[in-house]
Amino acid sequence: MLTNKLFFCHVTTTLIIWIAVNLIVVTSSSSPDVEFSCDGSLDNEPHYGSGGYKLHIEGSPAYYQPSRAYTVTLLSTGRQSFRAFHISVKSEESSESIGKFEAYNNFTSQPQNQCRFSNMVNKHMGKKSYVRIKWLSPATRSGCILLKASVHEKGSRWYKDNDKLTTRICEKDVNETPTDECCACGTATYRMKFYGIWSPQTHPRDYPEYSTHWSNVVGASHTPEYSIWEYGRVSSDAVQQVAEWGFPEKLMHELRAQEEGEEVLSVVKTRAQWPAYPVNGRFTPLISNFRTDTKHFLVTLLSMLGPSPDWNVGISKESMCLSTCGWVGKREYFLTPWDAGTDDGVSYNSPNLPANPRRPIRPLNSTDHPDSPFYDESGAPISPVARMVIERVHLDGDQCGDSEEVAVLDDSEDVNVDDSNQGITGCMYSDWFDWMECSVSCGWGLKNRKRMLKAGKDMMCTDLMQTEICKGSEVCENNENVTTCIYSEWTSWTRCSASCGESVRSRRRVMKWPSEPAFCNAPLKELVQCQQPSCNEACLYTPWSGWMPCPAICGVGTTFRKRGLKIGNAEICVGMQEESKCMTSMNCSPDSRFDVAECTYGPWMGWSACPVTCGAGQTFRKRMLVDSSTPAARCEGFQMESSKCMTSLSCDDEELMDPGCEWRAWSSWTPCSVTCGMGIVMRQRSAFSLNEDVECGNQEVEKEVCNPSESCLPPCGYQEWNEWMPCSVSCGNGATIRKRFLNSTVDNHEECEAFEMEKNRCMVPCQTMTSPTSDVTECISTPWGEWSACSESCGRAGLRTRWRNFAALCSLEREQKKCGKLPKCPRDCVMGAWSKWRSCVKPCKRASGKARTYRRRKTLKKAKFGGQECGRKREVKACNCT
C-alpha cells in the first residue's frame, strides 16, 4: 500500500510539472517571437526558393469580383511546418493596399499592428502546416492585385518573394476586350455548366417547403448591338415570362428569330432543375454548349429562382474575346439574385403584385426589405445562390491571337442528362420520351417528360423525369378556369391521438401549382377514425414471472406463474395468473431394481431441477453407498435414478420454435401511440431458416409502456371555417385568407388561440363587364378582326396580327401567331477583309518588267437560298519597280 501511495504521488507531481511547463509554453507563445516588418521582411536575408510552401486562393477563381469574401490559404506542400507568417495584398500598379483582411479564426492569425496596410501575421509561435485568412475584395474597380506571403520556418530559415508565395488575380474585365468589338479570329466552342447551390443549408431563412426549382437556363451568344437583359434596363415581355413563371418559350422564339437575322449565333437552353437543391448532396450541373466568333462574342444567360416574385440569376454581355485577339479559356461566376422589376413581391411566396410601371433590372441587396429571405441589417453581401462555369472546349478555323490555355476537360463528376445516358453512378437511361401535354388547357401549367432506367440501382438513379413550365391558350372559354391543380404527396399519417377509446389520426399536403383556392378545392388535410379498443379493454402486461416449483413430490401436480398490469383496468384485465400441469418425477414408489443384496445405501437425495422450462424433460436423483455385508459383495459407490419431469405443460411461442428455425433481430420500437399521457410502443421479430426447404411461421410482438412529456390537453373547439376573403387584387394573382373562431359554447383550455387562419393564393380574371350606367368603365369587347398579312416574306420571324376593340376607355387588344411555313430568306455571301499587298522586292529583282503582287481574302459565309454570290478571293496587280 505504501508503494502504491508513493507511486501515485510521483505521477501526480510529474503531471503537475508537465502541465505547468506547457502552460508556460502556451502563455509565452501568445505573442510572436518573430516580428515581420510591414513589407514582410526580417533582419536576415531570406533563403532561396519557397521552402515547399504555397499561397493560393481557395477555389482558384479566374478573377475576383468586387465586395466578395475569398479564403486565402498558406500551406505546406510537404511534411515541413512553419511557425510565423506575414500575408499582404497590394495593387499591381501601386504600393497601396487593396481590400481588407480578416482572421479566419481567433487562434492562428491577427492583424499586424502599426502598419497602414491590412496585413495578417501569426498569433502564436506554435507549429503550423497551413493557415487560412479571409480577404474582402474592394468595392471599386481596382485592376489586378498581388497577394504575397513570407514564411518563417525556424531559426534563421525563412522565405519570401517566390512565385509560389505570390498570387496574382485580376478583376473581371481587366484582360478582356471592350464589349463593342473583337479582334479574335475563327470560332470558339464553350461548355456552360450551371450549379444550383441554393438550399436550406446555404440559405435557411424562409426557405420554401415545396416547388423549389431552377427554370431552364436560356440565352445566347450574340453581337454587341443585341441585348437580352441588362442592369438598369426594363425587362422585355419575354424576360418577364422567364422571371415570373420560368417560361422560356417566348424568349426562345425571339432568340431563334435573331438567329435568322444574324444577331445571334448560338441559342442556349438547358433542362430545368426540380428541386433546386442537390439530390443526395450531389451537385449535378445543367450543361449546354455554344459557339462564339468575331461578330458574336458576347454571352447572356439567365435562369429563374423559383418560387419567387421575379428573381433570377445570370450573366449579361460577358465577352469571350481577349484584347490579345484570342479567346477566353475559363471563367467562373458566383451568382447572386437580381430583380426583373416586373413584380413588387419581397419574399419567395409573395402574392402576385405587378409593378406598374415596370422598374429597371437591379441586383437584390440584403437591406431591401425586412421580410426578404436575404435580409441582413448589417448590409453584408448576399451569399451566392448558384455557380456558373464557362470553359472553352476547342477552337476552329484560323486563329490570329493569343488565347488562354485550358486544361483538359474532366467530366467525370458531371452528368449531362441531356447528352449522356450514363454517369459515374452506373446509371444508364433510355432516350427521353416526348413531352406530355400541358397540365392546363388555358393559363399556366406544367408539363413532364420521362425516360426509362436501363441499368443501375433505383435508389441512385433518380433522374427519370423532367418538368417545365407550359402555357395553354390566353383566354379560358366562358371564363371557366380549367386549371389542373397539383398537390404535394400526402404526409405520413400521424399517430392516433390516444391508445384506446375514441381517437383520430391525420395527414396533410400542400398545393404546389398554381395555388389558386378559387379553383383548387381538394382538401389539404384528412382525418380518419382510429380503430382502437375500448379504454376498458386495453391491457398491457409485464413479462411473465417464472413457474413456481411443482408442489407434488411425485406424479402430476399443478404450478402457476404471475404477471403485472402496466396499462388497463385491473377489474377488467384478466390473465394476471396462469396455471399449468407439472411433474417433479413420475416415480412415486420405490423401484426394486435398485435393491442389491449385501449392499446398504443411504436415502435418496432430491430430484435435480427439470432442465426444460416447458414440456417433458428428464431429471435425476442419487443415493450413496453406506455399507456392504461382505467384502466379496459387488457394490457400486452410488446409485442414480432417472425419471421424466415437467416444469410446465404450457410452452410460450418462443419455446415452441419450429425445428430448423431461429429468430431474426428485433425491429426498432414504434413511435409512442400517443403524443401525451401513457401509451404503448411495440417491436416485433420473425423466425427464419438458412434452409430454403424449411418454412418458419413464428412471429413475436413485444409491447412496452411509453409516456411522452407533453401534457394531455383536450383539443380546442372551433367553429366552422368562414368563407374565403375577397382576393387581395382586383385583377390577376393575389392572396386570400379565411378564419375560424373559438367556440364560446365549448369549455376550452387557456392555451387555445382565439382564432385560426389559413392563407392561400387566388386569381381574379382581368376581363370584366359592367352596366352602361355604372361609374366603372365597361370593357366589352368587339369580335376579332381579320388576320393581317405576314410581317415577313421569308424566314421564321414573321407574325400575323389581329385586333379587337373595347368599348369606352378600354384599350385595344392584340393577338399574334406565327405565319406558318415560309421560304428561307436569301443570305448573301460574307467576305473577310483583304490582306495587305504582298511585297514587290523579290519579284522586282527577278523580272522588273513582269513583276506582279497580289492580296487575298477569305469567305466567311457562303451564299444561301439565292443570296448574292461571293466575289473574288484574290486580286493581282503590277509592281512599281522604279
Side-chain angles (χ1 to χ4, degrees), residues 230-241:
E230 293 182 58
Y231 287 124
R233 292 195 174 185
V234 175
S235 298
S236 64
D237 291 343
V239 170
Q240 179 193 18
Q241 289 190 5

Side-chain angles (χ1 to χ4, degrees), residues 496-504 529-538 674:
C496 292
S497 56
S499 60
C500 61
E502 294 184 3
S503 62
V504 295
Q529 195 80 22
C530 291
Q531 299 298 321
Q532 297 283 83
S534 168
C535 290
N536 293 327
E537 299 175 0
V674 296

Side-chain angles (χ1 to χ4, degrees), residues 432-482:
W432 288 105
F433 297 133
D434 292 336
W435 287 100
M436 300 179 184
E437 292 184 359
C438 191
S439 62
V440 296
S441 59
C442 59
W444 297 98
L446 299 173
K447 63 179 180 180
N448 301 318
R449 67 173 181 177
K450 298 181 178 180
R451 61 180 178 182
M452 304 298 293
L453 179 63
K454 297 168 64 177
K457 297 181 179 179
D458 293 342
M459 295 297 293
M460 298 293 295
C461 307
T462 57
D463 190 20
L464 299 176
M465 186 172 73
Q466 292 181 354
T467 304
E468 283 192 359
I469 308 297
C470 59
K471 190 179 183 182
S473 60
E474 291 286 349
V475 181
C476 296
E477 296 182 3
N478 301 323
N479 287 332
E480 293 183 2
N481 191 294
V482 292

Side-chain angles (χ1 to χ4, degrees), residues 190-246:
Y190 289 90
R191 178 167 298 166
M192 184 282 300
K193 298 179 183 178
F194 180 91
Y195 298 83
I197 57 179
W198 172 58
S199 71
Q201 290 73 39
T202 61
H203 298 78
R205 177 171 175 174
D206 298 338
Y207 194 85
E209 296 180 1
Y210 57 91
S211 291
T212 62
H213 66 279
W214 292 102
S215 71
N216 314 77
V217 180
V218 292
S221 59
H222 55 87
T223 64
E225 292 76 24
Y226 185 68
S227 176
I228 299 176
W229 72 270
E230 293 182 58
Y231 287 124
R233 292 195 174 185
V234 175
S235 298
S236 64
D237 291 343
V239 170
Q240 179 193 18
Q241 289 190 5
V242 175
E244 293 189 19
W245 295 93

Side-chain angles (χ1 to χ4, degrees), residues 286-304:
L286 308 178
I287 302 176
S288 182
N289 290 357
F290 63 89
R291 293 188 303 118
T292 60
D293 61 16
T294 305
K295 183 179 179 183
H296 311 85
F297 57 92
L298 300 182
V299 181
T300 300
L301 301 167
L302 72 155
S303 175
M304 172 204 176

Side-chain angles (χ1 to χ4, degrees), residues 649-872:
L649 181 63
S650 302
C651 286
D652 295 333
D653 292 340
E654 181 177 3
E655 297 163 339
L656 293 175
M657 175 71 71
D658 295 333
C661 298
E662 55 183 298
W663 288 114
R664 300 181 189 273
W666 284 103
S667 67
S668 301
W669 289 102
T670 62
C672 192
S673 60
V674 296
T675 57
C676 65
M678 185 173 292
I680 299 174
V681 293
M682 296 185 297
R683 65 176 183 174
Q684 61 182 3
R685 63 178 178 176
S686 59
F688 75 102
S689 175
L690 298 176
N691 188 346
E692 296 181 355
D693 297 328
V694 176
E695 294 185 2
C696 302
N698 300 79
Q699 285 189 339
E700 186 176 11
V701 176
E702 189 175 58
K703 299 181 180 181
E704 284 292 343
V705 175
C706 56
N707 189 7
S709 59
E710 298 180 15
S711 61
C712 280
L713 294 174
C716 301
Y718 287 96
Q719 301 173 7
E720 295 296 324
W721 284 103
N722 293 338
E723 296 295 326
W724 288 101
M725 297 290 289
C727 197
S728 61
V729 297
S730 59
C731 173
N733 293 323
T736 181
I737 61 172
R738 66 176 181 176
K739 296 181 180 180
R740 63 176 182 178
F741 293 89
L742 202 62
N743 192 342
S744 59
T745 62
V746 178
D747 292 333
N748 290 297
H749 52 82
E750 295 180 354
E751 295 188 17
C752 291
E753 298 290 341
F755 65 90
E756 287 185 335
M757 183 173 69
E758 285 186 345
K759 183 178 180 180
N760 221 323
R761 296 182 182 179
C762 57
M763 185 186 74
V764 179
C766 292
Q767 186 177 1
T768 60
M769 287 188 172
T770 57
S771 64
T773 59
S774 173
D775 294 335
V776 182
T777 302
E778 61 175 319
C779 297
I780 304 175
S781 63
T782 62
W784 284 105
E786 296 294 328
W787 288 105
S788 67
C790 188
S791 60
E792 304 288 343
S793 59
C794 60
R796 293 183 294 179
L799 295 173
R800 301 178 65 188
T801 306
R802 66 176 182 176
W803 301 82
R804 66 177 177 182
N805 294 318
F806 282 93
L809 302 178
C810 298
S811 60
L812 297 175
E813 185 178 3
R814 182 184 67 175
E815 186 177 23
Q816 290 183 319
K817 69 177 182 179
K818 294 182 180 179
C819 294
K821 190 171 182 180
L822 294 175
K824 294 184 177 181
C825 295
R827 190 175 77 181
D828 297 338
C829 173
V830 179
M831 305 291 292
W834 286 104
S835 66
K836 295 181 180 179
W837 290 100
R838 191 168 182 178
S839 172
C840 287
V841 174
K842 290 184 178 180
C844 287
K845 287 182 179 180
R846 290 195 296 265
S848 60
K850 298 181 180 180
R852 296 288 186 272
T853 183
Y854 65 90
R855 65 176 181 175
R856 293 177 176 176
R857 62 177 177 176
K858 296 181 180 179
T859 301
L860 301 180
K861 290 185 179 180
K862 295 182 179 181
K864 286 186 177 181
F865 317 122
Q868 183 177 350
E869 296 295 330
C870 299
R872 290 179 297 170

